[in-house]
Amino acid sequence: MFQKIEHIGIAVKSLESAIPKYEQLLGTSCYKTETVETEGVHTAFFKVGESKIELLASVSEDGVIARYIEKKGEGIHHIAYAVEDIHSEMNRLKDEGFILLSEEPKPGADQKWVCFVHPKSTGGVLVELCMDRDE
Ligand code: ZN
């Protein structure tokens, strides 16, 4: 079951300039920064009610986020939904014909298991499923 929008991922050129901007915008402090080496991203998180904003900056000049910004500019990169059981949702979506970007959930930022769904199969929006990793 999809439970809520867990976070919205926003691609930015640099966290150093984006973090203070989002702190001003949201009126709240960034509560966590984390680098996910396997995905090549630096992340920064903000709480907005029961959802979050995740800023994503590329670790390297040819990383996925850097290439995304080159093509589309800074802005919304993905929508992440919290799911109760990531394996069963992955199977359900696969059966429905959605294209998953990994066969198995991967460890993501903020203590989550994550799986991405190709935007080609969702009408242009990169979708992330995520489930808490701490149990
Ligand atoms: Zn995300």
Side-chain angles (χ1 to χ4, degrees), residues 3-83:
Q3 297 170 311
K4 64 173 182 184
I5 293 178
E6 215 281 334
H7 62 267
I8 295 175
I10 297 174
V12 301
K13 285 183 183 156
S14 107
L15 289 186
E16 288 64 36
S17 55
I19 288 174
K21 196 188 298 172
Y22 273 82
E23 287 182 333
Q24 279 182 325
L25 175 70
L26 302 172
T28 185
S29 298
C30 169
Y31 71 91
K32 177 188 221 176
T33 58
E34 184 181 349
T35 296
V36 185
E37 293 291 350
T38 51
E39 301 288 326
V41 292
H42 298 299
T43 66
F45 285 90
F46 300 81
K47 289 200 171 92
V48 183
E50 63 167 17
S51 300
K52 296 166 191 161
I53 295 294
E54 175 188 44
L55 302 181
L56 301 151
S58 193
V59 168
S60 69
E61 269 170 37
D62 59 351
V64 275
I65 295 298
R67 280 185 277 130
Y68 180 89
I69 290 174
E70 215 166 273
K71 254 198 324 203
K72 304 200 171 173
E74 292 182 297
I76 295 182
H77 178 258
H78 64 271
I79 309 273
Y81 298 92
V83 298

Side-chain angles (χ1 to χ4, degrees), residues 58-118:
S58 193
V59 168
S60 69
E61 269 170 37
D62 59 351
V64 275
I65 295 298
R67 280 185 277 130
Y68 180 89
I69 290 174
E70 215 166 273
K71 254 198 324 203
K72 304 200 171 173
E74 292 182 297
I76 295 182
H77 178 258
H78 64 271
I79 309 273
Y81 298 92
V83 298
E84 206 170 14
D85 178 344
I86 197 164
H87 287 100
S88 79
E89 290 303 330
M90 285 172 69
N91 286 332
R92 185 181 68 80
L93 293 177
K94 219 186 302 178
D95 288 347
E96 300 277 10
F98 291 96
I99 303 161
L100 305 183
L101 294 183
S102 63
E103 285 294 314
E104 290 293 327
K106 298 196 289 186
D110 206 25
Q111 285 295 113
K112 305 287 186 202
W113 288 111
V114 305
C115 175
F116 286 92
V117 185
H118 200 292

